[in-house]
Amino acid sequence: MKLYAATYGLAGVFGTAFTVFLLSFYPAFIGLAGHLTFVPFGLAVMAIVIHFFTISAYWYGWDRWNGNTHFLLGLILLISVYIIPLGFRAISAFLNVPQGLELIPKPHLMSLPHC
């Protein structure tokens, strides 16, 4: 369990840092994508917070709570672990095929290559 927690935390930190670093090159895209995908992104972030709290409560409450409480925490843990990728996949699916989104080209925002 400690190896799982360390691997999960390390992958989450570096995956997020790498994504933020790459997306920092496209600030207009982040603004647009953030407004359009606020609900699934918020759902995924909320599920991550719930997952972190329930995984610690499940682990540290192993012999401290009765079986029903422990089972309920495990059920919340199971649901949150499925909601996290669902939120992120919804964002990826929308960005692949953005239904109802019409982009208007703005040539004045494009940078010209330096000669």
Side-chain angles (χ1 to χ4, degrees):
M1 191 65 183
K2 289 179 184 179
L3 178 64
Y4 168 74
T7 306
Y8 187 81
L10 191 65
V13 167
F14 281 109
T16 303
F18 188 65
T19 303
V20 169
F21 174 73
L22 287 178
L23 287 177
S24 68
F25 292 111
Y26 305 103
F29 174 74
I30 293 174
L32 176 68
H35 287 300
L36 295 174
T37 59
F38 180 74
V39 173
F41 186 71
L43 183 69
V45 169
M46 185 179 64
I48 290 170
V49 170
I50 291 170
H51 187 73
F52 281 144
F53 283 120
T54 53
I55 199 168
S56 61
Y58 188 84
W59 177 256
Y60 289 113
W62 192 270
D63 289 329
R64 296 184 181 149
W65 295 313
N66 63 12
N68 290 334
T69 305
H70 199 254
F71 179 77
L72 180 66
L73 284 171
L75 190 62
I76 294 170
L77 190 61
L78 175 73
I79 292 169
S80 68
V81 82
Y82 281 115
I83 292 176
I84 294 168
L86 176 71
F88 287 123
R89 295 314 175 267
I91 294 169
S92 299
F94 174 78
L95 294 177
N96 285 338
V97 184
Q99 296 292 327
L101 177 64
E102 182 179 332
L103 294 176
I104 300 170
K106 296 180 181 177
H108 62 280
L109 293 178
M110 298 182 68
S111 62
L112 298 173
H114 298 285
C115 296

